[in-house]
Amino acid sequence: MRLPSGRLLRGRGLSQPIPGGAIPDFAIYLLAQIPAAFEWETRWVRWPDFGLPRDRNDANDALREAWLRSETERVEIACDGGQGRTGTALACIAVLDGVPADKAVKFVREHYNSRAVETLWQRRYVAHFSAG
């Protein structure tokens, strides 16, 4: 997904095969359980399916790290299905990139996946996410 600044992030579902092309330099995995090892640097955020992150400070820090690193590195954001948690995280990163919080879900649905951000709680999380 291309952000307004031009930064690129790859969102995906871990239940799907790894897409072709270059592997990420860094990835954030949004899962209830610790992910398997990968050949690239990863960060795990404890985030149950259809829910919200267990530790919002950790999640906010991870999303900020992903946004910062995406300026010069290939960054991947993923959960099991690649829609709810991944879409929510991408919407929050879009806020960090300057998209207004009340427009971030629409932005991600238009530029990543039309079914991104699956629950009311996830939409509220994005709406209250702050770039500050």
Side-chain angles (χ1 to χ4, degrees):
M1 178 181 83
R2 184 175 299 280
L3 295 170
S5 66
R7 297 174 194 219
L8 292 171
L9 294 119
R10 178 171 77 186
R12 77 175 179 105
L14 293 171
S15 61
Q16 303 299 315
I18 295 174
I23 64 169
D25 297 307
F26 174 70
I28 294 181
Y29 296 123
L30 315 162
L31 302 165
Q33 304 293 327
I34 232 170
F38 289 88
E39 59 184 275
W40 49 86
E41 185 181 354
T42 65
R43 181 168 176 179
W44 171 50
V45 174
R46 184 183 296 266
W47 193 328
D49 201 9
F50 297 104
L52 298 175
R54 291 291 184 218
D55 181 336
R56 290 183 187 207
N57 289 329
D58 179 55
N60 291 352
D61 184 62
L63 298 174
R64 184 169 297 283
E65 180 179 5
W67 177 72
L68 289 169
R69 292 179 75 158
S70 69
E71 185 173 18
T72 59
E73 298 177 57
R74 289 180 304 277
V75 175
E76 174 175 89
I77 308 294
C79 64
D80 287 324
Q83 294 180 68
R85 292 168 284 182
T86 297
T88 302
L90 289 171
C92 291
I93 293 169
V95 171
L96 293 172
D97 203 64
V99 175
D102 63 338
K103 308 247 186 291
V105 170
K106 181 179 180 199
F107 177 85
V108 170
R109 287 179 175 170
E110 288 175 355
H111 295 92
Y112 168 64
N113 183 315
S114 63
R115 295 172 56 192
V117 191
E118 295 174 316
T119 71
L120 171 64
W121 304 113
Q122 291 170 344
R123 288 192 302 276
R124 285 185 180 166
Y125 183 77
V126 173
H128 293 98
F129 189 83
S130 170

